[in-house]
Amino acid sequence: MKRYLKLISSLFIFSLLMGNVEAQTRTKTKIKAAPAPKFVETNFGNPSSITDVTDMADSNRAYNSVKNLIDEHVTLTYDDNTFRGNEPLRKGDFIVALNSSLSAIKNFAVENGIDSMMNANTTAMGNSGMTASDSSMTNPSGFTDLEEGSVYYPAVQSLMEKGVTAPFTNSKKLDPGAVMSEKDVYNALNKVFNYDKSGMNPYATSMTRNKFAMVLNNAVSTKMQEQYAMVDQKNAAAEQAKQEEKAKMAAEMQQQEQMKKDSLNSAYQAEQQEIEKKALEAQSKKKHKK
């Protein structure tokens, strides 16, 4: 009887243990099988000023950077008027911001008539690294995960037309939802803008959108300072040419005045000579009559 009871007790304990193991297995299987949240594209906004951005307080460390970039027409915010600075930077957002930054610099150059100077200066647009290193990276349709209707498609196409391939590390996939590391961001900005890597944390697996705004603003501001210097150079050259033209016209007028004076003097001298000649002739005739 005791042996029978002992056997039943052992079987009961064993069933409890097996039930616990099965429950743990189901839990682990359920956790393991949970799908990762799918990345969803978000449309971008075009605020007229920083005051339109609803989640940017002036106490935010990135406030001035976001303000400057918005003023330069760089695309950073979303169509719901948010910036979401604490979120990690996604590759698609980086590509859109990078393309709009290059367009802002180019537009400023065209508006101020220094585009030819900028093209002649290889540092003006960071031409180093702008040549495609992969001949297959010439058309956005080559990416298997990028559809023509994607919000990122125009920016990808525009960058490729400019010859910028720095953000495209894979010729088959764009992977717009991938989180950008600080190293990836700084490497791309260094190739496109010749922007130095001071302040980079090589061990950071991601960069927040706040920090990206500050870094991008520094890179764009550096290029805009180069643009302003070119405008000053152009204006100085134009002023010098104006002064030279003015001096040339003054010299020509002076020369014409001198020529006029010389001509009048010559005519006066010729007239005097003629008068003297006639006077001598008159005196000569008078002597002959006597």
Side-chain angles (χ1 to χ4, degrees):
M1 183 67 179
K2 290 182 179 180
R3 186 179 299 174
Y4 179 73
L5 291 173
K6 187 176 182 180
L7 178 62
I8 292 174
S9 177
S10 298
L11 289 172
F12 179 72
I13 293 172
F14 178 75
S15 65
L16 288 176
L17 291 173
M18 290 301 295
N20 188 38
V21 170
E22 184 179 354
Q24 290 180 359
T25 302
R26 284 199 302 268
T27 301
K28 289 181 180 179
T29 302
K30 184 177 180 181
I31 294 174
K32 190 175 182 180
K38 185 179 179 181
F39 172 71
V40 178
E41 294 185 2
T42 304
N43 290 322
F44 295 96
N46 185 29
S48 58
S49 71
I50 187 69
T51 56
D52 294 332
V53 184
T54 59
D55 61 348
M56 282 297 296
D58 56 9
S59 58
N60 189 313
R61 61 183 183 140
Y63 182 88
N64 288 331
S65 296
V66 174
K67 178 182 181 302
N68 292 340
L69 291 171
I70 289 176
D71 291 344
E72 295 292 351
H73 306 291
V74 175
T75 304
L76 285 174
T77 60
Y78 300 108
D79 63 351
D80 62 354
N81 290 329
T82 62
F83 175 63
R84 309 177 196 178
N86 293 324
E87 292 186 6
L89 174 68
R90 304 285 178 176
K91 189 175 182 181
D93 292 357
F94 172 78
I95 288 171
V96 170
L98 178 65
N99 178 64
S100 60
S101 297
L102 289 172
S103 296
I105 293 171
K106 179 67 176 178
N107 291 339
F108 179 88
V110 172
E111 289 170 3
N112 289 274
I114 59 169
D115 47 319
S116 59
M117 294 173 64
M118 186 182 70
N119 293 333
N121 184 347
T122 57
T123 64
M125 281 283 281
N127 285 345
S128 61
M130 287 184 69
T131 302
S133 57
D134 184 341
S135 59
S136 65
M137 293 183 183
T138 57
N139 194 313
S141 61
F143 292 117
T144 58
D145 59 345
L146 181 66
E147 297 181 358
E148 192 166 346
S150 167
V151 296
Y152 309 115
Y153 192 95
V156 173
Q157 185 176 40
S158 179
L159 286 177
M160 287 185 168
E161 289 173 353
K162 292 182 178 78
V164 180
T165 61
F168 312 127
T169 55
N170 188 326
S171 60
K172 301 299 180 183
K173 293 188 68 177
L174 180 67
D175 202 9
V179 173
M180 294 281 288
S181 70
E182 290 201 7
K183 183 178 179 181
D184 290 339
V185 172
Y186 276 94
N187 283 344
L189 293 181
N190 179 257
K191 288 181 179 179
V192 177
F193 290 120
N194 291 328
Y195 183 70
D196 69 39
K197 301 180 182 180
S198 59
M200 180 185 76
N201 179 2
Y203 304 105
T205 56
S206 65
M207 175 179 277
T208 64
R209 287 172 53 79
N210 273 333
K211 183 168 183 180
F212 171 62
M214 292 187 289
V215 173
L216 181 63
N217 179 57
N218 287 338
V220 172
S221 295
T222 300
K223 287 301 155 193
M224 292 305 293
Q225 288 299 323
E226 293 179 9
Q227 300 280 70
Y228 296 142
M230 288 183 190
V231 171
D232 291 341
Q233 182 182 348
K234 176 200 168 190
N235 291 340
E239 182 62 26
Q240 182 179 356
K242 182 180 178 181
Q243 293 300 324
E244 289 176 352
E245 182 64 22
K246 187 176 180 180
K248 181 181 177 182
M249 291 178 64
E252 289 178 350
M253 289 180 65
Q254 186 177 4
Q255 185 180 11
Q256 290 175 0
E257 287 294 327
Q258 188 61 47
M259 290 174 64
K260 185 177 180 181
K261 288 180 180 179
D262 292 343
S263 177
L264 290 172
N265 287 335
S266 297
Y268 176 76
Q269 290 175 3
E271 184 179 356
Q272 290 300 313
Q273 289 175 359
E274 185 66 23
I275 292 172
E276 291 176 359
K277 181 181 177 181
K278 288 181 178 180
L280 290 173
E281 289 177 351
Q283 290 177 1
S284 178
K285 288 179 180 179
K286 192 173 182 180
K287 286 181 180 180
H288 286 304
K289 284 182 179 180
K290 290 181 178 180

